[in-house]
C-alpha cells in the first residue's frame, strides 16, 4: 500500500508531505510552551519548511535523478521530521534553506549548460550559508569536484568560488565597519577540528544511519545499471553525503540538526534502492521501518 502510494508523482503527494511536516512542526513548537517563541517563529519556520520540501522535489525532478515517483521526496521528508525537534532557532532554517539552494545548483552543474553561471550561484548560496555556519565553506571543495568530474580545464571555473567568497567577505567587512565600527575578522572562518561521533550512538539519528547504510551497501547494484550521466550524478551525490557527514562529525558546528543537510543528496540515492526489482513485501516492510524510525526519533526528542 505505501509502496504504491509513494510510487506516484502527483502534486497531491507534495501537498500531503508539506501538511504532514507542518503538523509535526506545530506539535514541536507548541510543546516548547513558550508562546512568544511560537508566535515569532512559526511563520518563518513553516515557510522555510514548505520551501525546503518543494526545493528537494524540484531538485529530484528537474535533474531527473529518480524515475517518476515520490520515493526520494518521501525519504527526505521522513528524515527531516525525524530531526525536526533539534532545530531550535531560525538560523538553522536559513542554513538548511541556503544549503538546499546550493545542492540544487551543484547537481545541475552536471548538465554542463551555463556552467560558469551555475558555479557562481552555487558559490553564492554556500557563502551565504557559511555566514551562519562558517565550517560549511569547506564544501567549496564539492564545487571544484563537480568541475573536475566534467573535466573542465578553464581556470575561471575554479577561481569563481574563491572570487565569490572574497567579494562576499569584502561586503561583510564594509557592513561590519558601518554598523559596528570594526573589521570583520577572518578568524570567524577558523575551523575547530573536534571529532564528535556521539550522534552515531544517539537514537535520534537512527533514521539517517539506517538510510545511509542501505544506500552504501546497495550503491554498486544500481550504479552498475545506470547510464553514464546517471552514474556521474549518483557518484557526486554519494560523495556529497559522505563529505557533509564527515565535515559535521569532525568540525565543530552550532547544532547537530545540521545533519539534515545530508538528506538533500542522500534521499535521491535511497530512492534508487526502492526502484530496484525486489520483492513487494520487502519494500513495503522497509517503508514501515523508515516511518517507524522517523516517528521514534521525533518522539524521542520531544519528551
Amino acid at each position: 500500500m505505501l509502496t504504491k502510494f509513494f510510487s506516484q508523482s502527483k502534486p497531491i503527494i507534495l501537498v500531503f508531505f508539506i501538511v504532514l511536516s507542518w503538523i509535526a512542526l506545530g506539535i514541536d513548537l507548541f510543546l516548547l510552551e513558550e508562546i512568544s517563541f511560537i508566535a515569532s517563529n512559526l511563520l518563518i519556520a513553516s515557510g522555510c519548511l514548505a520551501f525546503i520540501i518543494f526545493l528537494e522535489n524540484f531538485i529530484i525532478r528537474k535533474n531527473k535523478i529518480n524515475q517518476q515517483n515520490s520515493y526520494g521526496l518521501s525519504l527526505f521528508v521522513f528524515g527531516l521530521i525525524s530531526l525536526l525537534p533539534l532545530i531550535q532557532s531560525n538560523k538553522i532554517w536559513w542554513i538548511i534553506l541556503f544549503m538546499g539552494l546550493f545542492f540544487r545548483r551543484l547537481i545541475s552543474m552536471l548538465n554542463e549548460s551555463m556552467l560558469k553561471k551555475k558555479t557562481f550561484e552555487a558559490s553564492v548560496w554556500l557563502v551565504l550559508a557559511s555566514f551562519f555556519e562558517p565550517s560549511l565553506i569547506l564544501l567549496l571543495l564539492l564545487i571544484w569536484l563537480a568541475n573536475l568530474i566534467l573535466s573542465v580545464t578553464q581556470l575561471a571555473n575554479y577561481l569563481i568560488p574563491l572570487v565569490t567568497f572574497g567579494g562576499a567577505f569584502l561586503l561583510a567587512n564594509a557592513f561590519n565597519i558601518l554598523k559596528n565600527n570594526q573589521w570583520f575578522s577572518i578568524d570567524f572562518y577558523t575551523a575547530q577540528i573536534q571529532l564528535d561521533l556521539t550522534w552515531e550512538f544517539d537514537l535520534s539519528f537512527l533514521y539517517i544511519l539506517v538510510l545511509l547504510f542501505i544506500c552504501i551497501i546497495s550503491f554498486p547494484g544500481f550504479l552498475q545499471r545506470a547510464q553514464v550521466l546517471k552514474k556521474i550524478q549518483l557518484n557526486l551525490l554519494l560523495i556529497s553525503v559522505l563529505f557533509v557527514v564527515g565535515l559535521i562529525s569532525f568540525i565543530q558546528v552550532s547544532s547537530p540538526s545540521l545533519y539534515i543537510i545530508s538528506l538533500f543528496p542522500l534521499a535521491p540515492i535511497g530512492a534508487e534502492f526502492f526502484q530496484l526489482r525486489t520483492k513487494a513485501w520487502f519494500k513495503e516492510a522497509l517503508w514501515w521501518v523508515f516511518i517507524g524510525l522517523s516517528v521514534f526519533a521525533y518522539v524521542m526528542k520531544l519528551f
Side-chain angles (χ1 to χ4, degrees):
M1 184 175 66
L2 287 175
T3 304
K4 185 177 181 180
F5 178 71
F6 296 144
S7 65
Q8 303 175 69
S9 59
K10 297 178 181 178
I12 189 64
I13 297 179
L14 176 62
V15 175
F16 167 77
F17 279 124
I18 291 176
V19 173
L20 180 64
S21 65
W22 278 347
I23 293 172
L25 176 66
I27 294 173
D28 177 35
L29 290 180
F30 279 102
L31 282 178
L32 291 173
E33 297 181 356
E34 297 179 19
I35 303 301
S36 59
F37 178 84
I38 293 171
S40 61
N41 289 272
L42 183 58
L43 186 60
I44 294 176
S46 59
C48 286
L49 185 56
F51 187 79
I52 288 166
I53 294 173
F54 175 82
L55 185 60
E56 176 70 357
N57 187 60
F58 180 84
I59 291 171
I60 294 172
R61 302 200 184 288
K62 182 68 174 179
N63 296 286
K64 299 179 180 178
I65 302 174
N66 304 136
Q67 298 171 10
Q68 292 297 313
N69 55 58
S70 299
Y71 292 150
L73 181 64
S74 306
L75 291 170
F76 179 81
V77 173
F78 289 135
L80 184 59
I81 290 175
S82 72
L83 297 180
L84 201 57
L86 294 178
I87 303 176
Q88 299 295 333
S89 68
N90 286 332
K91 182 185 84 168
I92 303 299
W93 283 116
W94 292 120
I95 294 173
I96 298 172
L97 178 61
F98 289 142
M99 290 306 300
L101 291 166
F102 162 72
F103 277 113
R104 170 181 171 264
R105 269 312 181 205
L106 178 72
I107 298 169
S108 69
M109 286 172 61
L110 300 182
N111 295 328
E112 299 188 53
S113 61
M114 300 184 294
L115 191 55
K116 286 186 175 63
K117 179 177 180 290
K118 292 176 180 177
T119 299
F120 171 71
E121 290 181 6
S123 303
V124 168
W125 293 122
L126 185 59
V127 169
L128 286 174
S130 74
F131 282 146
F132 294 93
E133 187 59 58
S135 60
L136 293 176
I137 198 65
L138 294 174
L139 293 179
L140 282 175
L141 292 172
L142 292 177
I143 300 178
W144 287 322
L145 176 63
N147 279 281
L148 285 172
I149 289 175
L150 295 172
S151 301
V152 175
T153 57
Q154 295 180 349
L155 182 61
N157 288 65
Y158 298 95
L159 291 178
I160 285 173
L162 294 178
V163 172
T164 303
F165 174 70
F169 182 80
L170 290 175
L171 289 174
N173 197 41
F175 177 79
N176 207 45
I177 290 175
L178 291 174
K179 183 180 179 181
N180 303 317
N181 197 28
Q182 63 182 17
W183 295 92
F184 184 79
S185 176
I186 194 65
D187 292 339
F188 179 70
Y189 280 97
T190 303
Q192 183 176 346
I193 299 176
Q194 179 179 327
L195 177 60
D196 181 14
L197 295 179
T198 54
W199 69 282
E200 292 187 354
F201 306 98
D202 189 332
L203 296 178
S204 299
F205 297 97
L206 200 54
Y207 181 96
I208 286 184
L209 281 171
V210 172
L211 181 57
L212 181 59
F213 175 75
I214 290 176
C215 288
I216 290 176
I217 63 172
S218 60
F219 191 79
F222 49 72
L223 186 66
Q224 187 177 8
R225 304 179 184 183
Q227 296 180 348
V228 177
L229 178 58
K230 186 67 170 291
K231 286 182 178 179
I232 294 174
Q233 281 183 331
L234 292 174
N235 278 308
L236 180 60
L237 288 171
L238 183 60
I239 292 171
S240 298
V241 172
L242 297 177
F243 201 96
V244 170
V245 171
L247 185 148
I248 299 175
S249 297
F250 282 88
I251 306 296
Q252 189 176 33
V253 293
S254 58
S255 170
S257 62
L258 291 178
Y259 280 104
I260 289 174
I261 295 171
S262 67
L263 288 169
F264 283 106
L266 182 59
I269 300 177
E272 291 295 313
F273 174 80
F274 285 97
Q275 292 174 173
L276 293 175
R277 293 182 179 179
T278 55
K279 294 186 181 296
W281 66 265
F282 180 71
K283 289 183 180 180
E284 188 72 17
L286 200 54
W287 275 119
W288 284 109
V289 168
F290 277 121
I291 292 174
L293 289 173
S294 177
V295 173
F296 175 76
Y298 175 77
V299 173
M300 278 283 294
K301 285 301 179 183
L302 284 182
F303 303 101

